[in-house]
Amino acid sequence: MARRVLLPLPDRDFDVTEVAVPWRLLTRAGHQVVFATENGGAAPECDPLLITGVLLGKLGAEPEPIAFYREMEKSLEFTKPVAWNDVDTKTIDAILLPGGHAHGMKQYLDSATVRRMTVEMWNAKRPVAAICHGVLVMARSIDPATGKSVLFGRRTTCLPRYMERASYFATFWKLGRYYRTYDAYVQDEVVAALGDPSRFERGPVEFSKRGTEQDDAPAFVVEDELYVSARWPGDAYLFAKKLLARL
C-alpha cells in the first residue's frame, strides 16, 4: 500500500545524499514523497558544495546519490513543493527529517512550524526518521503535554561530536564556519534533550566509509519503536531501508 512521506526542507543548503537516497528508495517502492518548504511553490536547492566537492573536490556526495538528486530535481513533487503551513499531517503517514550543515539549513532547523508538524506526527504514533542535523528538529520539538522534547527518554543517534569537530578543524582555514551550523555541537544539544545521556548512541568511529544499497556494513542507525535515527550521509541507505520497513 502506498504511503505519503513528508520531507520538509529549507530553501537551500540541505544535504544531497540524506534527501536524494531516501527519495529514490521510497519512490521506487511505490510511496509518495511530499516535499515542503517554508513558502512552497519553488524548488529548493541543495548545498552546492556537496555536488562539486567541499574542498579540493573532496568531501562531497558520492556519484550515485548525485545521480538520484538529478532525477529528483525533475520530479513534479520537488519542483512544486507545498508550504509548511499548508501541510495537514492527518494526511501524512510518516515524516523524514534530513540534515545538512551549511547555514541555509537554519531556516528549517529553527522553524517552529516544522517542530509543530514533528510533534503532531510523533503524537499520532506515525513513523519519524531523522538523520544528522535533522535530529536537532527532534531535540527542539517540545511536546505540550510534557513540556519536554519528544526525544526525552528515547534512544537516538545524530551527527557525532567527533565527526563535526574534525570536519570543522580540517576546513576552517578555507571555509570558516561552514561545518559549524551552531555554536553548540549537534550531539551536545541532542544529548541534553534526552534526559539520560546513556540513551545516546554514538556508533562506531568512522570518517570515510559509507554504506551503499548493497553494503550496509559501514552504516549505523538507531531504532526505537517507530523512530529511526542516523548519523551522516554514510548511513542514508540503511536509514531509508529502516523507514521503509516501518511503512
Side-chain angles (χ1 to χ4, degrees), residues 154-166:
R154 306 306 290 263
R155 294 169 47 251
T156 194
T157 191
C158 68
L159 178 68
R161 186 191 304 111
Y162 77 84
M163 193 179 286
E164 187 175 7
R165 183 168 53 199

Side-chain angles (χ1 to χ4, degrees):
M1 180 178 177
R3 304 291 187 183
R4 303 181 79 228
V5 180
L6 176 64
L7 208 161
L9 290 173
D11 292 334
R12 60 183 177 88
D13 283 346
F14 59 85
D15 186 273
V16 171
T17 305
E18 294 169 7
V19 174
V21 166
W23 170 81
R24 179 70 283 172
L25 270 62
L26 287 164
T27 55
R28 184 191 298 160
H31 301 299
Q32 178 188 1
V33 175
V34 179
F35 289 103
T37 59
E38 184 170 20
N39 298 308
E45 298 177 3
C46 70
D47 177 352
L49 293 185
L50 299 179
I51 299 288
T52 61
V54 173
L55 191 65
L56 304 176
K58 305 295 184 181
L59 304 178
E62 295 294 315
E64 185 172 68
I66 291 175
F68 291 165
Y69 179 73
R70 294 309 186 195
E71 290 181 58
M72 188 179 77
E73 281 186 307
K74 301 172 185 176
S75 67
L76 179 62
E77 63 267 25
F78 185 79
T79 57
K80 298 292 184 182
V82 300
W84 292 337
N85 277 320
D86 291 341
V87 174
D88 179 0
T89 55
K90 294 184 180 66
T91 69
I92 301 295
D93 298 297
I95 185 171
L96 192 160
L97 302 168
H101 50 267
H103 286 258
M105 284 291 292
K106 288 184 175 181
Q107 177 191 26
Y108 149 79
L109 295 173
D110 293 344
S111 169
T113 304
V114 173
R115 294 196 297 270
R116 172 186 57 77
M117 293 189 294
T118 300
V119 172
E120 289 174 358
M121 294 297 293
W122 185 268
N123 287 338
K125 301 191 184 307
R126 298 185 186 131
V128 176
I131 182 170
C132 197
H133 281 66
V135 183
L136 283 178
V137 176
M138 299 291 293
R140 296 170 178 182
S141 294
I142 306 301
D143 186 342
T146 65
K148 297 176 181 178
S149 167
V150 296
L151 284 184
F152 186 81
R154 306 306 290 263
R155 294 169 47 251
T156 194
T157 191
C158 68
L159 178 68
R161 186 191 304 111
Y162 77 84
M163 193 179 286
E164 187 175 7
R165 183 168 53 199
S167 299
Y168 169 64
F169 283 136
T171 62
F172 78 95
W173 61 275
K174 178 70 172 178
L175 300 173
R177 293 184 60 83
Y178 170 71
Y179 274 109
R180 289 300 306 276
T181 317
Y182 298 98
D183 290 338
Y185 288 108
V186 172
Q187 179 181 328
D188 293 341
E189 185 173 344
V190 168
V191 168
L194 295 177
D196 178 357
S198 70
R199 300 189 72 81
F200 176 76
E201 299 187 26
R202 187 194 68 180
V205 173
E206 183 57 74
F207 288 101
S208 60
K209 293 180 181 177
R210 301 185 179 209
T212 66
E213 189 166 5
Q214 294 75 34
D215 181 11
D216 293 325
F220 177 78
V221 302
V222 173
E223 301 176 82
D224 188 340
E225 298 178 5
L226 291 176
Y227 172 53
V228 181
S229 57
R231 306 166 301 174
W232 73 308
D235 301 328
Y237 286 91
L238 181 58
F239 171 73
K241 292 174 189 176
K242 295 298 185 181
L243 175 57
L244 274 168
R246 280 155 177 77
L247 293 175

